[in-house]
Amino acid sequence: MYIFAHRRARGVLDGEYASIFRGRSLDFDDLREYVPGDEIRDIDWKATARVGTPLIKRYVATRRQQVLFVADTGRNMAATSRGGDIKKNIAVMVMGVMGLLATRHGDSVALVHGHGATTSSLPAKGTESHVENVLRNMDAASLERGSSDLCARLEYAASHIKTRTLMVVIADEIASDERLAKILRRLKAQHEILWVEIADAVLAGPDAVHNADGVGTDVQGMEQVLLLLASEPELARHYAQATAERAYGLAELLKSNGIAQARIGATEDVMKQVFALLERHRRAR
């Protein structure tokens, strides 16, 4: 598995990300046998004549792509996910999987995260030790310091990240609105975007998450609240309807911008869902 980039180079200083370890540059690497689908222009005709079978030239890629994680570290990420994990922990695991995939194929990794009006960032580097630093920064974020405002993080990225990137947005379940639509249109003009949504715990209906005394914590106000229990079918119905409408609105917004989406509710689902997301992105046109 690797993280595929659809866009061709926009200038002579941008390399083409065309394969796992190979690309186009002035540095010749080796030859291999031609297979259907290879570019005819890459055939080494002199070597082909000597050997008697078509051979393809391969070159060392001089440049790769930059993978930029944009993550919310506001209070919403302190909530419980559908599988019972803290949302931030799932986000860290997603970043770990994708970060190691990126660096092992020559890409660099950067991070933008924050809460409320506060945004922090780490510059792009292409080492595994840097990925570990990114994960430590994400894991160390104090989720009780400020409210969640994903759009503020996206607006920061639009204003400060001038290099073309493959942007991986890691977010709580949010509703689509004009502010989000506007910033996505702006970002899509420069970057390729993948969207990872950390699914909420179910609060009503037969699958509701609740403890023995029926009390939970509101992550926004950090106070105790009564949970909606499975014994309230009318509340459960309205809750399910509102949740479905919100999910549909976001999915339609992402689809209209050509953004592949994954929805992850538990740490054990991370590997499967990340690989499925990368495959959907690779097949997109």
Side-chain angles (χ1 to χ4, degrees):
M1 294 296 300
Y2 63 99
I3 304 175
F4 185 88
H6 290 285
R7 297 188 180 182
R8 299 281 182 174
R10 298 190 302 179
V12 295
L13 295 180
D14 287 330
E16 177 183 343
Y17 190 79
S19 64
I20 296 180
F21 291 110
R22 299 293 186 265
R24 296 182 183 280
S25 73
L26 299 178
D27 300 322
F28 173 76
D29 186 37
D30 63 6
L31 297 169
R32 67 162 173 80
E33 289 189 7
Y34 172 87
V35 295
D38 285 334
E39 293 279 354
I40 299 298
R41 62 179 176 171
D42 289 339
I43 295 178
D44 187 325
W45 294 106
K46 291 183 179 180
T48 295
R50 289 195 303 269
V51 176
T53 185
L55 295 176
I56 294 290
K57 296 177 182 178
R58 296 200 292 187
Y59 301 85
V60 176
T62 55
R63 286 175 180 260
R64 297 291 188 177
Q65 65 183 341
Q66 182 184 125
V67 176
L68 171 64
F69 293 113
V70 178
D72 172 27
T73 48
R75 286 195 291 261
N76 284 3
M77 296 300 281
T80 302
S81 70
R82 177 150 301 189
D85 306 291
I86 299 301
K87 288 192 171 189
K88 183 187 72 170
N89 295 342
I90 297 178
V92 169
M93 187 170 181
V94 169
M95 291 168 59
V97 171
M98 299 188 76
L100 287 178
L101 277 176
T103 55
R104 289 179 180 180
H105 293 109
D107 296 335
S108 58
V109 174
L111 171 66
V112 169
H113 71 92
H115 60 273
T118 302
T119 300
S120 301
S121 64
L122 288 177
K125 293 183 182 180
T127 64
E128 290 190 8
S129 61
H130 179 65
V131 173
E132 292 175 359
N133 190 30
V134 166
L135 299 182
R136 281 195 296 269
N137 271 263
M138 184 69 182
D139 188 56
S142 176
L143 302 179
E144 298 183 10
R145 290 185 303 179
S147 60
S148 289
D149 189 351
L150 180 66
C151 284
R153 311 292 83 78
L154 296 173
E155 289 162 353
Y156 177 94
S159 299
H160 293 79
I161 308 299
K162 303 304 180 183
T163 304
R164 177 167 57 88
T165 72
L166 194 149
M167 181 179 294
V168 181
V169 180
I170 303 177
D172 178 40
E173 287 192 22
I174 62 173
S176 60
D177 56 20
E178 184 53 38
R179 183 187 179 194
L180 179 60
K182 180 179 179 180
I183 190 59
L184 285 183
R185 288 194 296 268
R186 180 180 174 185
L187 289 169
K188 187 62 179 177
Q190 181 177 1
H191 308 281
E192 290 188 56
I193 305 174
L194 299 176
W195 193 280
V196 177
E197 181 180 74
I198 312 299
D200 288 341
V202 178
L203 300 181
D207 298 322
V209 176
H210 57 85
N211 51 27
D213 57 7
V215 175
T217 302
D218 173 19
V219 295
Q220 285 291 346
M222 289 300 166
E223 64 230 355
Q224 288 190 332
V225 294
L226 293 176
L227 296 176
L228 305 178
L229 305 180
S231 59
E232 298 290 341
E234 187 66 15
L235 285 175
R237 186 179 65 81
H238 285 294
Y239 166 80
Q241 181 180 350
T243 300
E245 290 174 354
R246 181 182 62 187
Y248 177 80
L250 179 63
E252 287 297 300
L253 175 61
L254 297 178
K255 182 180 178 181
S256 67
N257 284 279
I259 299 172
Q261 177 189 18
R263 195 163 187 263
I264 303 176
T267 53
E268 58 263 29
D269 297 334
V270 168
M271 296 289 284
K272 178 181 177 180
Q273 293 298 328
V274 164
F275 289 158
L277 173 65
L278 295 180
E279 181 64 11
R280 285 195 296 274
H281 177 68
R282 184 183 71 83
R283 293 178 179 274
R285 290 293 183 265

